[in-house]
């Protein structure tokens, strides 16, 4: 059976209509299949519209070993194809049985309060774009919104009356409200007074008036990180993305004593288990736990070598 009659309704009917997948999920699946079909054309000589399901079998090793995200897209397509092309049940079963590639889990990167202050203070307030960027960074660092949630905000999503908060539609189309601190609410009030517009207009527009893209947010963040690093050298050794600000918000909440279950609700996680990486990354919390295990009569804290030579030996 030809692939095109399966893949087209997979996007238009299954992903868009039945699952109501987000535009980011659809874009991710689209890019995965563009690479897969391009690879298949090089090795089979067939145009994408001429490919058969069996032609994809020869590309398994390359397509699914590169990224687990591509494997997820391929699995989703072949599950859909199992109802449309039962004559390929054996091939479909083999594709669905391919496991995800195992990866190492790294410790999340986050910014300290001093680093966040330097970053938020980097955009100049003399220009419209500088004032926009400062409020954007402040809002992201305080609420921990995902970049897709941030770029999707409209003016109507900001509520500055009693109990100021921002509402958004997050991952898996789940709606949630996140409280705003007084400084953030005040900054947003000033920005909205300058921004103007209707409730349906994007909160942070670009030059064209449309909402900023993910790439635009990453670009402005990199620009302000480079500027802030001149006054805060510790920023130079960190890879900082929009998601780093989300991690920083989570770590600030943990330091404030927020329970993991509340933290999961704040960040829009499906399960409190998703907050564990933040706990693993927080050496301060681990040190507090270690201090509780100190024997009676022993002063809590880290061991300090009494001599430079001992310190040198201990560090080997």
């Amino acid at each position: 059976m030809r692939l095109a009659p399966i893949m087209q309704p997979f996007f238009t009917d299954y992903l868009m209509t039945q699952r109501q997948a987000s535009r980011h999920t659809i874009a991710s699946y689209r890019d995965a299949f563009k690479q897969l079909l391009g690879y298949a054309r090089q090795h089979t000589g067939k145009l994408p519209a001429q490919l058969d399901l069996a032609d994809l079998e020869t590309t398994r090793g390359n397509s699914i070993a590169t990224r687990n995200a591509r494997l997820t897209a391929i699995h989703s397509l072949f599950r859909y194809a199992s109802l449309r092309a039962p004559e390929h049940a054996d091939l479909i079963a083999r594709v669905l049985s391919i496991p995800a590639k195992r990866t190492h889990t790294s410790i999340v990167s986050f910014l300290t309060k001093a680093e966040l202050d330097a970053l938020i203070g980097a955009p100049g307030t003399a220009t419209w774009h500088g004032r926009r960027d400062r409020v954007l960074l402040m809002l992201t660092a305080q609420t921990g919104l995902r970049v897709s949630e941030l770029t999707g905000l409209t003016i109507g999503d900001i509520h500055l009356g009693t109990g100021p908060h921002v509402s958004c539609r997050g991952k898996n189309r789940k709606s949630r409200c996140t409280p705003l601190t007084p400084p953030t609410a005040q900054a947003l009030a000033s920005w909205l007074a300058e921004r103007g517009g209707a409730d349906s207009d994007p909160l942070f527009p670009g030059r064209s008036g449309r909402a900023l893209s993910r790439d635009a947010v990453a670009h402005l963040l990199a620009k302000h990180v480079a500027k802030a690093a001149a006054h805060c050298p510790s920023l130079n050794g960190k890879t900082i993305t929009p998601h780093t600000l989300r991690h920083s918000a989570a770590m600030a909440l943990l330091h404030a004593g927020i329970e993991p279950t509340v933290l999961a609700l704040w960040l829009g996680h499906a399960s409190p288990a998703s907050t564990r990486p933040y706990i693993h990354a927080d050496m301060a919390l681990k040190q507090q736990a270690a201090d509780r295990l100190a024997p009676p009569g022993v002063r809590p804290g880290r061991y300090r070598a009494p001599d430079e030579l001992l310190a040198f030996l201990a560090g080997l």
Side-chain angles (χ1 to χ4, degrees):
M1 183 175 181
R2 288 289 176 86
L3 182 63
I6 294 178
M7 185 171 290
Q8 291 172 359
F10 168 74
F11 277 93
T12 59
D13 180 51
Y14 178 66
L15 287 182
M16 296 180 181
T17 304
Q18 296 182 32
R19 284 190 53 189
Q20 295 187 339
S22 71
R23 58 188 178 91
H24 302 293
T25 298
I26 293 173
S28 175
Y29 282 26
R30 175 204 64 201
D31 294 343
F33 288 121
K34 284 174 65 177
Q35 294 189 31
L36 174 62
L37 295 177
Y39 180 85
R41 180 182 180 182
Q42 291 177 1
H43 285 73
T44 65
K46 295 183 179 180
L47 294 173
Q50 299 173 333
L51 287 172
D52 189 88
L53 272 177
D55 294 323
L56 294 186
E57 185 176 11
T58 60
T59 67
R60 285 186 349 180
N62 177 272
S63 299
I64 60 175
T66 52
R67 293 182 183 175
N68 287 336
R70 298 179 190 174
L71 177 60
T72 299
I74 293 171
H75 276 177
S76 184
L77 173 66
F78 274 74
R79 281 193 295 267
Y80 179 78
S82 65
L83 303 176
R84 297 294 191 96
E87 67 273 20
H88 291 287
D90 182 60
L91 168 62
I92 292 172
R94 292 202 302 273
V95 172
L96 293 179
S97 68
I98 299 171
K101 184 178 179 180
R102 298 186 65 178
T103 58
H104 295 288
T105 302
S106 58
I107 297 178
V108 297
S109 175
F110 63 96
L111 303 183
T112 64
K113 185 179 184 305
E115 291 169 340
L116 279 176
D117 290 342
L119 176 59
I120 294 172
T125 57
T127 66
W128 183 88
H129 288 94
R131 293 188 291 273
R132 178 202 65 185
D133 293 355
R134 177 169 291 196
V135 178
L136 182 150
L137 294 174
M138 181 181 294
L139 177 64
T140 310
Q142 188 251 291
T143 60
L145 293 179
R146 299 179 179 92
V147 65
S148 58
E149 297 166 348
L150 181 70
T151 56
L153 290 178
T154 64
I155 293 175
D157 291 328
I158 304 300
H159 308 275
L160 300 178
T162 303
H165 63 277
V166 56
S167 58
C168 72
R169 187 178 294 275
K171 202 171 183 179
N172 298 324
R173 298 186 177 272
K174 293 180 180 179
S175 298
R176 75 178 190 278
C177 296
T178 306
L180 299 172
T181 61
T184 304
Q186 184 178 359
L188 281 167
S190 299
W191 168 245
L192 290 176
E194 178 179 4
R195 164 76 176 89
D199 284 353
S200 59
D201 291 336
L203 179 62
F204 299 114
R207 294 181 183 276
S208 64
R210 294 191 294 268
L212 291 173
S213 66
R214 298 168 64 97
D215 290 341
V217 173
H219 175 74
L220 70 86
L221 176 60
K223 178 179 66 175
H224 296 310
V225 166
K227 183 177 179 180
H231 306 285
C232 187
S234 61
L235 290 171
N236 287 315
K238 294 187 175 182
T239 301
I240 301 173
T241 67
H243 215 67
T244 307
L245 299 183
R246 177 171 167 84
H247 294 328
S248 303
M251 298 305 293
L253 291 169
L254 275 178
H255 289 160
I258 302 300
E259 293 293 328
T261 51
V262 178
L263 179 59
L265 292 173
W266 183 292
L267 297 176
H269 285 159
S271 167
S274 300
T275 64
R276 290 174 184 168
Y278 301 118
I279 299 176
H280 289 311
D282 191 352
M283 289 302 299
L285 289 179
K286 292 180 178 179
Q287 184 61 49
Q288 292 175 11
D291 290 343
R292 296 191 186 102
L293 299 176
V298 176
R299 185 177 181 181
R302 288 183 176 273
Y303 169 74
R304 302 294 181 185
D307 183 83
E308 292 184 1
L309 178 58
L310 290 178
F312 166 78
L313 294 175
L316 292 177

